Amino acid sequence: MEEINYKSPLYIQLREVIRSKIEEGEFLPGTAIPSESTLADMYGISRLSVRSALTALEYEGLLQSVQGKGVFVAGPKVERDLETLGGYRQTMRDRAQRPSTRVLVKAARKAGPYYAKVLQIDPEDDVWFIRRVDTAEGEAVALEEIYIPVAVLPNLEEMDIQVFSIYEIYEWAGIRPYRGRQVLRIMYLDAAAAKLIGISENQAVLESTSVTVDVTGRPIEYSCNYVRNDKASFCIHYTNQ
C-alpha cells in the first residue's frame, strides 16, 4: 500500500504504508524514518494523523522514538541469557544497570596488516572503526574500540549505534555471534584517553581484547575495551570436572 485515499482513517492507511516499507526492507532496522513533517508533506495529510500512525507502530514495537533524534525502526526483539555472547548494553541490563554509550568515532578505514590478520581479511579491505565511551548509571565505565569488516555489516553507516546495540544489528542482519576469545591485562592509558573516562593517566585500567566469530567460524569483530578498575570487575565461573 503506497497511496493515501479517503476510504479509511488516514492514520490507519499511513500506518500500513510504513509497516509495508519496514517488512519489505525499504526502512531498515536501526535507521531513522522520515520526520513527521516530511511524511505529512509526502502524503498530503496532517501531522496529527502522522503522529497517530507512528504512535500506533511504536506501541506495536516496530518503531522507537528517541527524543531529539527522531523515530527509528526497532527491528525484531532479541532474547539473551547469561550463558550466551552479548554486548555491553545487554551485559549491563542483565545486572540491572542503566547503560548508555557516547560514540566518538564511527568511520570506514583500511584494515591494515594487523587487523587484517586478526579478522582474516585482506589489508586493503575496509573495516568499520568505532570508538565510544560506555557508561552505567550515567558514569563512564570503559573506553571501547571495535573493528568490524564492512563486508559483515555493509549498512552500518545508516544505523544509529547510540540507539541500538551492535548485537541487535548483528541479529537483524542474520549474523549469529557464536564464540569469542578474550585476553585480559593491566595497563595505563595516555592522558587524552584517560580523560575520556574520567580518570588520571596514573590509574590502571583492565584491557580486554577479544575476537568474535560467527557460527561459520568467520571472524566478525575485534574489540578492545579499557575498563576502569574502580567501576567494574570481571567474574569467571568454573567447575571441577
Side-chain angles (χ1 to χ4, degrees):
M1 177 181 178
E2 297 295 338
E3 300 297 329
I4 298 291
N5 55 51
Y6 294 94
K7 295 180 180 179
S8 62
L10 298 179
Y11 86 91
I12 292 179
Q13 294 185 60
L14 180 60
R15 181 193 67 189
E16 295 310 307
V17 168
I18 296 173
R19 187 197 307 278
S20 69
K21 289 182 181 293
I22 293 171
E23 292 173 347
E24 293 167 9
E26 183 174 343
F27 292 162
L28 294 172
T31 62
I33 67 170
S35 66
E36 281 186 11
S37 59
T38 299
L39 288 170
D41 290 342
M42 286 172 61
Y43 294 102
I45 62 178
S46 71
R47 290 186 64 173
L48 180 60
S49 293
V50 172
R51 190 172 301 122
S52 296
L54 299 185
T55 299
L57 290 169
E58 187 172 358
Y59 181 78
E60 292 180 33
L62 292 178
L63 296 178
Q64 180 175 332
S65 177
V66 180
Q67 186 174 4
K69 297 179 75 69
V71 179
F72 295 78
V73 181
K77 303 300 180 185
V78 179
E79 293 185 0
R80 302 187 190 281
D81 60 48
L82 293 177
E83 299 303 316
T84 61
L85 286 171
Y88 170 75
R89 295 187 191 191
Q90 186 62 40
T91 301
M92 291 296 102
R93 288 174 184 143
D94 287 338
R95 287 156 176 75
Q97 297 287 310
R98 178 170 53 87
S100 64
T101 59
R102 178 163 59 94
V103 177
L104 306 175
V105 179
K106 186 179 80 167
R109 49 157 284 184
K110 298 300 180 186
Y114 178 77
Y115 298 109
K117 182 178 180 180
V118 170
L119 296 168
Q120 297 178 21
I121 57 178
D122 190 272
E124 290 299 309
D125 287 347
D126 289 332
V127 296
W128 296 113
F129 170 58
I130 299 164
R131 196 180 204 215
R132 63 189 186 183
V133 174
D134 296 329
T135 69
E137 301 298 333
E139 291 191 277
V141 173
L143 178 63
E144 186 175 18
E145 296 179 346
I146 304 171
Y147 299 82
I148 302 169
V150 168
V152 171
L153 290 177
N155 296 318
L156 186 61
E157 176 62 29
E158 304 169 24
M159 300 181 182
D160 193 323
I161 58 174
Q162 290 193 169
V163 177
F164 301 100
S165 76
I166 292 174
Y167 270 71
E168 287 176 308
I169 295 171
Y170 283 146
E171 186 80 13
W172 300 335
I175 296 167
R176 182 183 166 194
Y178 176 65
R179 185 178 67 250
R181 179 178 182 273
Q182 192 170 54
V183 177
L184 306 176
R185 68 172 184 149
I186 301 297
M187 66 165 300
Y188 296 89
L189 296 173
D190 60 40
K195 185 178 180 180
L196 290 173
I197 55 174
I199 63 173
S200 71
E201 57 187 310
N202 297 320
Q203 182 176 335
V205 296
L206 182 62
E207 179 193 61
S208 166
T209 59
S210 63
V211 178
T212 302
V213 302
D214 65 10
V215 291
T216 70
R218 173 186 61 163
I220 59 171
E221 176 185 302
Y222 171 81
S223 66
C224 185
N225 294 287
Y226 304 99
V227 184
R228 289 179 55 162
N229 61 8
D230 61 335
K231 295 294 182 183
S233 61
F234 288 78
C235 179
I236 301 173
H237 297 274
Y238 61 90
T239 59
N240 183 15
Q241 298 289 347

